[in-house]
Amino acid sequence: MGCAISGSGVTPRSPENRNSEDISPARLTPDHIRLIKESWRVIQEDIAKVGIIMFVRLFETHPECKDVFFLFRDVKDLESLHTSRELRAHGLRVMSFIEKSVARLDQLEQLETLARELGKSHFRYNAPPKYYGYVGAEFICAVRPVLKDRWTSELEQAWQTLFQYVTAIMKDSYLEEERSHTLSSSRERPDTRSTAV
Ligand code: HEM
């Protein structure tokens, strides 16, 4: 299950080493976009398998992520997840998001809208940004064997950049949602007190 992500030359922006003020998305170049689109055609053929492998790996390497999922938090035998209908369905939802992201690479403002919605929904799921960086790494490990000798360090860098781009926006939108909830609950408190008196 080991899979070392090679050095990419991209500034590391995992949640741990990202400055809390640093929310600017990574820069996707025309070369990144071309490489991602070409490889997606191959990945697409194994979309369900990649989705499952990605999540089983995520839960193996970061069990704290599994605890966020109501459906999977009590699963002890991770091997059994390889044949789980629920994990297959969840993996397909996430892969379908990646497919939509690939389709929007030429309209980044549309990709941004999509990623902002996802950040908001992850606030509702109670899935905090500190975990988002793990998903791209597991995606890369899951697709590498599918692409076999088509895999290159440039391609790895391109996918890393796409995940950094999407997760930076998700994080920003998650935090915005969190702030607006904190604000509205602090506004509600004095009202509640005044009616109670
Ligand atoms: C690159 C990072 C991620 C992407 C692209 C992603 C994508 C998605 C998508 C497309 C869905 C389907 C529902 C929706 O569209 O709102 C979803 C649901 C969900 N995600 Fe994520 N996700 C990411 C990271 C994470 C992480 C790290 C966790 C947990 C630590 C997480 C927890 C959840 C949960 C709990 C749900 C709801 C599951 C349910 O339907 O019961 N996500 N995610």
Side-chain angles (χ1 to χ4, degrees):
M1 73 117 164
C3 163
I5 305 265
S6 57
S8 64
V10 175
T11 312
R13 293 163 68 97
S14 67
E16 290 79 12
N17 60 19
R18 198 186 290 147
N19 181 312
S20 63
E21 300 303 314
D22 175 13
I23 46 152
S24 59
R27 207 173 76 82
L28 281 157
T29 65
D31 273 346
H32 288 147
I33 294 176
R34 179 183 50 81
L35 288 167
I36 291 170
K37 283 184 180 170
E38 280 168 14
S39 61
W40 180 255
R41 281 190 222 114
V42 182
I43 297 168
Q44 206 173 24
E45 289 167 23
D46 276 318
I47 195 168
K49 189 175 94 183
V50 169
I52 292 175
I53 292 174
M54 176 167 86
F55 274 95
V56 174
R57 288 192 55 95
L58 180 70
F59 297 161
E60 272 168 0
T61 50
H62 302 287
E64 65 276 26
C65 290
K66 184 165 72 81
D67 297 339
V68 177
F69 288 86
F70 178 74
L71 276 172
F72 310 120
R73 63 172 62 135
D74 295 326
V75 174
K76 299 276 179 286
D77 172 19
L78 291 181
E79 281 304 306
S80 70
L81 286 177
H82 283 285
T83 50
S84 151
R85 280 171 50 192
E86 287 83 8
L87 189 65
R88 184 187 156 92
H90 180 70
L92 277 172
R93 277 201 293 275
V94 175
M95 293 301 286
S96 141
F97 171 84
I98 297 172
E99 182 164 45
K100 285 186 204 147
S101 304
V102 174
R104 283 161 179 71
L105 283 171
D106 296 318
Q107 298 108 23
L108 289 181
E109 54 309 328
Q110 286 188 26
L111 175 52
E112 183 172 341
T113 308
L114 200 67
R116 293 205 79 79
E117 280 307 310
L118 198 62
K120 261 195 196 175
S121 63
H122 280 67
F123 176 76
R124 291 197 301 276
Y125 305 146
N126 224 349
K130 63 180 173 185
Y131 301 137
Y132 299 167
Y134 305 148
V135 177
E138 300 310 339
F139 171 86
I140 285 172
C141 290
V143 296
R144 206 141 74 168
V146 172
L147 285 155
K148 302 191 183 90
D149 53 4
R150 282 182 253 219
W151 191 259
T152 61
S153 59
E154 289 76 23
L155 182 57
E156 182 169 319
Q157 189 173 323
W159 277 106
Q160 275 183 349
T161 309
L162 176 58
F163 273 93
Q164 284 159 1
Y165 183 89
V166 166
T167 55
I169 297 167
M170 282 175 72
K171 176 185 175 183
D172 187 38
S173 155
Y174 177 104
L175 295 177
E176 195 177 280
E177 198 64 5
E178 186 176 56
R179 276 192 300 274
S180 77
H181 276 73
T182 315
L183 263 178
S184 58
S185 55
S186 67
R187 267 197 228 104
E188 272 160 23
R189 238 175 274 127
D191 290 347
T192 318
R193 214 179 292 131
S194 65
T195 47
V197 173

